Amino acid sequence: MKTTQPLSFLIADDHSIVRQGVAMIIKELFFKPKIFLAGTFKETLDIVHQNSIDLLVLDINFPDGNSLKILEEIKKIQPELKIIIFTAYDEDIYALRYLNAGATGYLNKGCSEDEMKNALNSMVLYGKYITQNIKDKILDSYISKKPINPLETLSSREIEVARLFIKGYGNMEIAETLNIKKSTVSTFKNRIFEKLEINNIAELIEFFNLYG
């Protein structure tokens, strides 16, 4: 949908090919858009500080941090800024976490071009976008009074640790990979097992196969 007023977009992703691809779609959809590109969180914050942005297309992970931590800071700078998370991370696990943190849209990078266009238009026109899958899960959760996904109870760090256990890493390997103490890994493991009400790695693997 072509709009009559030029809009400002910020595409924040550490992969140049993703930034270029999203920029091409935006140029096709909107009238003379002003497009800013950022490959790090620092660049993202600098641009948000210096320019009025209508829509931020934001990845989850960057070399210099995690966008869950930066959303609040971005909102402090531009409270009305519309933000859609565009990531390869599974929406069943991560969507609500980022929506609760301040984003108003979530889209997986495995989507079709048509869905990407639909999401961008929806964000510009209505300020929000989620897939039918997430809408259904929210409704099911409301009706059943149960969490949409038990993995939602885990923090981002706990998810990270759990995935390494599933890959077969031991406590020491995880500690070295994440640059944390071995005792901290044990603490995370205990929290994960307690929150998910499981007793071993086999059950953890089964849990992620079912929900993740």
Side-chain angles (χ1 to χ4, degrees):
M1 173 183 289
K2 293 285 185 180
T3 58
T4 56
Q5 295 296 323
L7 298 170
S8 294
F9 296 84
L10 170 54
I11 305 167
D13 194 292
D14 60 333
H15 293 95
S16 175
I17 191 167
V18 173
R19 297 195 299 269
Q20 294 172 18
V22 175
M24 287 178 62
I25 293 176
I26 288 173
K27 289 176 182 176
E28 180 182 341
L29 285 177
F30 304 103
F31 177 74
K32 294 182 179 180
K34 188 173 185 180
I35 300 176
F36 298 90
L37 304 175
T40 67
F41 279 139
K42 183 181 182 304
E43 292 175 356
T44 301
L45 285 175
D46 287 345
I47 292 171
V48 173
H49 268 294
Q50 299 167 15
N51 304 272
S52 177
I53 305 296
D54 292 298
L55 176 61
L56 167 58
V57 181
L58 181 66
D59 193 9
I60 282 182
N61 272 332
F62 287 76
D64 56 337
N66 184 296
S67 58
L68 194 62
K69 299 176 181 177
I70 204 175
L71 283 170
E72 183 178 353
E73 193 168 350
I74 290 174
K75 283 293 188 176
K76 286 180 181 177
I77 302 168
Q78 294 193 40
E80 302 303 316
L81 175 56
K82 301 168 185 174
I83 303 172
I84 182 170
I85 300 297
F86 186 50
T87 179
Y89 281 56
D90 189 345
E91 66 176 15
D92 285 348
I93 299 175
Y94 291 93
L96 287 188
R97 186 169 301 169
Y98 280 85
L99 294 172
N100 288 333
T104 53
Y106 194 100
L107 185 64
N108 189 277
K109 286 181 178 177
C111 70
S112 66
E113 183 177 332
D114 284 343
E115 186 173 7
M116 180 66 180
K117 290 178 178 178
N118 184 33
L120 290 171
N121 271 322
S122 180
M123 288 298 299
V124 167
L125 293 173
Y126 309 112
K128 57 187 177 181
Y129 179 83
I130 56 174
T131 63
Q132 187 60 48
N133 172 51
I134 295 301
K135 291 178 184 177
D136 291 342
K137 288 182 179 299
I138 291 172
L139 180 59
D140 290 342
S141 175
Y142 177 78
I143 293 172
S144 67
K145 308 299 182 185
K146 295 179 180 179
I148 290 176
N149 184 335
L151 296 181
E152 286 286 341
T153 62
L154 302 183
S155 69
S156 295
R157 194 59 149 177
E158 288 166 349
I159 290 283
E160 193 173 12
V161 170
R163 289 192 181 281
L164 290 175
F165 275 122
I166 289 170
K167 288 180 179 179
Y169 285 44
N171 285 26
M172 183 59 72
E173 290 175 295
I174 295 175
E176 292 174 352
T177 300
L178 301 180
N179 194 28
I180 57 178
K181 295 180 180 179
K182 186 178 177 181
S183 59
T184 303
V185 176
S186 297
T187 299
F188 276 124
K189 182 179 180 180
N190 290 336
R191 286 181 190 169
I192 293 166
F193 281 22
E194 182 179 343
K195 287 182 178 181
L196 299 183
E197 299 180 0
I198 58 176
N199 299 303
N200 53 56
I201 298 299
E203 291 180 0
L204 181 64
I205 293 171
E206 183 178 351
F207 218 98
F208 268 73
N209 285 338
L210 182 61
Y211 292 102

